[in-house]
Every structure is written in C-alpha cells, then in structure tokens.
Amino acid sequence: MHPISNLPVAVIGAGPVGLAAAAQLLQRGLPVQVFEAGSGPAAHLQGYGHVRLFSPWRFNIDRAARALLLLEGWQPPADEDALPTAAELREQYLLPLANSQALRQRVQYGARVLAISRRGFDKVKTRGREQAPFVLQWQGEAGVQEFEARAVIDASGTWGQPNPLGAHGLPVPGEREHAAQIQYGMPDLLGAERGRYAGRRVLVVGAGHSAAGNLIALAQLAEEVPGTAIVWAVRGQDLRRLFGGGSKDGLPARGALGERLRALTEAGRLELHTGFAIGRISPDEAGRLQVHSAHDARRIEGIEQIVAATGARPNLALARELRLRLDPWLESTEALAPLIDPNEHSCGTVRPHGHRELQHPEAGFYAIGAKSYGRAPNFLMATGYEQARSVAAALAGDWAAADDVQLE
C-alpha cells in the first residue's frame, strides 16, 4: 500500500466547483483525480443551459483555473461584467478547463462514485483511522472499481436530487403515478421543451428564483402561443422576499427577475394560489390533473403539466461510512448551518467561510459547493470557489492561506 501522503486527492464532480478545486490543488502541487458521473464536464449545467445566471463572468471564473487556462492561451470573455447563460459558462470556460493539458488526464467521465470509506475501517473503528487512505467505490464501464485517496472533496452538488412536491418533504400521493406530466427544476420551456408546454395549462410550484424564471419563461410562451395558461402555487402567503429588493439587490439581474415577476402577478397574467401546500394529485376524466390542497378543500383543476421548482437536497448515502457532523435539518456541514440558514439569510448575507467551517470529524473529507449547503438554496458560485481555495490550502498545509477567507 502507498503511504497515504503519496496518494492523490479525489474530487467528486466536474462542475464549476469541482474543477476549481482540482485547479487549486494542482496549483499547490498536489496530485488530483476527478470523478464525474456524466459523459462530460458540468453535466448539471447542460440541463439548464438556457438559464442566464445572476452573477457576471468575473465572479464565475476561479482564480487558479483562470491562471491555468491563461498559461495555455485561453482567451477570457471580452466583457467580464456580462451575464453568461449556464451553457455559455460551460462552453467558454468549463470545457476548456476540463480539456486543458493540466486537467484532461485527471478527469474520469462516466464514473459514478457509489460510496466512500477508509481502507480497512468501517464507521465504528477508531484506532489508526486517520492513517488509513480513503477508498472510493465507483461504477464505470468496467463495473465497480476502487480508488485510494489521501483526501476527498465532494463537489457533487444537489441538482440531481430535486425535492418532491409535498410540503412534508415526501412525494405526495399521485406524484409518482403522474411522473410523465411532472418536470423538476428549470426545463427549457422556450426551447427543447416548448412543444410540451405550448398551449397547455401549466402549474409551477415553488417560491424561489427557479420558480420565478419558469414563470417568466411561461409568460413569454403565452404571448407567443395562445391558450398557454399559467398557474402558480406557493406554500406561503408573503411573496415580498421573492419579489426582492429590485434595484437595491446586490445582484441586479436577480432584482430584475423579482420585479418582472411582480409585474406579471399584478397584471393578472397568471393564476396565483397562496397558502397552497400540495396534499395529493389525482386525474380527471379528461386525463388532466387535479391538484389538492393538504390543508383545506381547495383544488386546482385542469392542469396538463407541472413544473416543480421546489429546490434540491444532497445525496448523503455516498458518505454513510464516514464520520460526518451534519446539521439535523439543513443537512449541511454543521458549523456552516448558522451562517446559511435560509430562514435568516439570503445569498448576500452569508459571510465568507472556508476549511474550518467545512471540516468534519472524518479528517481529510470535505463537502464543498452546493452540497456543503445541504437543503439551503442560497449558494453562490463564488462562495464555492473560495471554499475550494481554502480547502486546497489546508490540504497543502498552508494554514495561513487556508484561514484567510475572503469573498467579494
């Protein structure tokens, strides 16, 4: 067995934060291996490539990744104050980064990590634990294989695990049975999925920015295709938080989104149901859906398609054999929870943080990026880049740099 210090750091996920972590580690001379379940980098971004991000280019490019790319002749975006779409971020930044000479041999695609443990140590065994290498079991074309690492950075995100429709956190009766009429997240309503929604009565569920984006796209579709009807259901009564601070928002595009949604709502261009927690879904005689309230006799009728913009949650099964300290309700790293609690904080009020807030009793394991936030939806990409920088510095033993966390 190799001495643990000679082993590479394993990074799970080749999205923006995972690739940033790899670049930061390489900048510090640490060997790295990235495992990506998709067939290419940033697979989740492909799924919502049509969505324009709130943050400009200058916040979306990691410093170590930029330095690596510039050495290979990469040209940064001409206007770094412009807002890229998710597809543009992937094509103009993440694809060149993943295909760079420094990284191309270090990213394994079609490699789904199934579980992480310590070689020879289950969760219970203590003595000698920190001297044992991590072992990752991963599924590839050749079947299940194992990989040893000195440390593990889990940047696998949460987008692939959407929350169900039920306010209780569980799929409601009828949700599984009518899955063919339900999509989660932000489908391409004006592009690839246009035919599915044009001329239909569509219900959007959720009160976050993804829901707002879906509603605005549907409003454009309704202008272009008569008969497209928009229904919006939210659990709460107060929409002021979603409508936001307008021009006072720290991210102007986010403020503009809220203002556009407020205008649509006040103009009566959508049918709004507040205080509507979904209890069950049933079909009517025409094959449309009836969506029933969990708390009273109300129901929304004649629904042909549902878009569930209800957030996402982390996959905690990967690290079941590791010793983690997670917040009991956010499922974030425990020390991070008071800083990110969505009941108290928005994206702009989360203070900078790094390896100390992200560490676990399992030394050498870190979840970073959206996964570190668990179920909290207020993650910003720039936050993930600073997490990656701090954790890489800690793994290199540069504690001064690791503790010097800053965020613009």
Side-chain angles (χ1 to χ4, degrees):
M1 179 167 27
H2 298 290
I4 188 170
S5 61
N6 295 333
L7 294 172
V9 178
V11 176
I12 305 173
V17 178
L19 291 175
Q24 292 282 352
L25 291 163
L26 290 176
Q27 190 176 65
R28 290 185 167 275
L30 297 178
V32 61
Q33 178 65 45
V34 182
F35 294 87
E36 168 56 48
S39 58
H44 289 162
L45 264 67
Q46 273 187 295
Y48 58 95
H50 57 288
V51 175
R52 193 163 298 281
L53 305 181
F54 294 139
S55 51
W57 274 111
R58 60 192 172 92
F59 291 147
N60 297 333
I61 299 174
D62 172 72
R63 289 181 183 178
R66 180 191 290 271
L68 183 157
L69 284 166
L70 290 174
L71 283 174
E72 300 191 12
W74 174 75
Q75 293 294 318
D79 182 2
E80 297 211 33
D81 287 321
L83 302 176
T85 64
E88 289 167 347
L89 183 73
R90 181 177 184 271
E91 291 160 11
Q92 297 177 39
Y93 165 54
L94 296 171
L95 280 177
L97 179 58
N99 293 326
S100 66
Q101 186 173 347
L103 273 178
R104 70 169 68 116
Q105 300 301 321
R106 302 174 188 273
V107 184
Q108 176 76 45
Y109 299 109
R112 181 173 296 279
V113 175
L114 306 174
I116 314 162
S117 189
R118 293 271 195 179
R119 176 66 70 194
F121 288 78
D122 64 15
K123 196 171 192 172
V124 177
K125 190 175 178 183
T126 298
R127 185 173 297 173
R129 183 179 191 88
E130 292 189 8
Q131 285 70 53
F134 288 93
V135 57
L136 287 76
Q137 289 190 341
W138 62 280
Q139 175 82 48
E141 288 185 1
V144 176
Q145 302 177 56
E146 292 189 343
F147 181 86
E148 288 190 349
R150 61 170 289 193
V152 177
I153 297 176
D154 184 355
S156 57
T158 61
W159 191 257
Q161 293 81 228
N163 289 327
L165 286 168
H168 45 33
L170 306 175
V172 297
E175 185 169 348
R176 295 184 180 92
E177 292 84 347
H178 298 287
Q181 290 167 273
I182 304 172
Q183 283 193 297
Y184 298 83
M186 297 191 73
D188 191 358
L189 302 169
L190 295 171
E193 301 289 343
R194 181 186 181 94
R196 177 170 178 162
Y197 295 95
R200 311 282 186 186
R201 181 167 159 82
V202 183
L203 171 65
V204 175
V205 182
H209 295 106
S210 294
N214 288 325
L215 290 162
I216 288 169
L218 283 170
Q220 182 177 333
L221 186 61
E223 288 180 357
E224 299 170 1
V225 183
T228 305
I230 312 166
V231 187
W232 182 21
V234 295
R235 298 172 191 167
Q237 299 283 356
D238 188 350
L239 299 176
R240 286 177 296 179
R241 186 166 183 174
L242 177 56
F243 291 155
S247 60
K248 297 178 182 178
D249 196 303
L251 294 171
R254 185 175 60 193
L257 184 77
E259 289 185 326
R260 290 174 66 188
L261 182 56
R262 181 198 298 273
L264 287 176
T265 305
E266 292 176 350
R269 294 181 57 191
L270 52 82
E271 178 186 318
L272 174 62
H273 298 262
T274 58
F276 196 101
I278 296 175
R280 64 185 176 94
I281 300 170
S282 64
D284 63 18
E285 293 180 355
R288 298 182 178 187
L289 301 179
Q290 300 180 94
V291 181
H292 303 260
S293 168
H295 302 311
D296 51 44
R298 288 183 296 163
R299 64 184 180 186
I300 304 171
E301 298 185 325
I303 297 299
E304 296 171 275
Q305 294 290 331
I306 297 175
V307 180
T310 46
R313 58 183 62 178
N315 175 5
L316 301 179
L318 291 182
R320 186 175 182 183
E321 284 303 312
L322 300 182
R323 297 177 173 184
L324 306 188
R325 187 172 287 127
L326 300 173
D327 181 76
W329 50 87
L330 289 184
E331 296 179 345
S332 69
T333 305
E334 186 179 62
L336 202 53
L339 308 181
I340 64 172
D341 185 346
N343 297 298
E344 304 292 337
H345 292 282
S346 66
C347 304
T349 64
V350 176
R351 70 169 172 80
H353 56 271
H355 74 107
R356 293 197 183 278
E357 292 85 356
L358 296 168
Q359 65 189 357
H360 287 279
E362 195 72 67
F365 174 82
Y366 299 90
I368 68 173
K371 189 160 190 178
S372 69
Y373 275 41
R375 299 192 186 202
N378 43 6
F379 173 75
L380 285 175
M381 202 179 304
T383 303
Y385 292 162
E386 181 61 4
Q387 290 177 338
R389 187 206 60 77
S390 174
V391 167
L395 291 174
D398 185 348
W399 300 110
D403 287 338
D404 184 22
V405 289
Q406 300 176 11
L407 189 63
E408 185 178 347

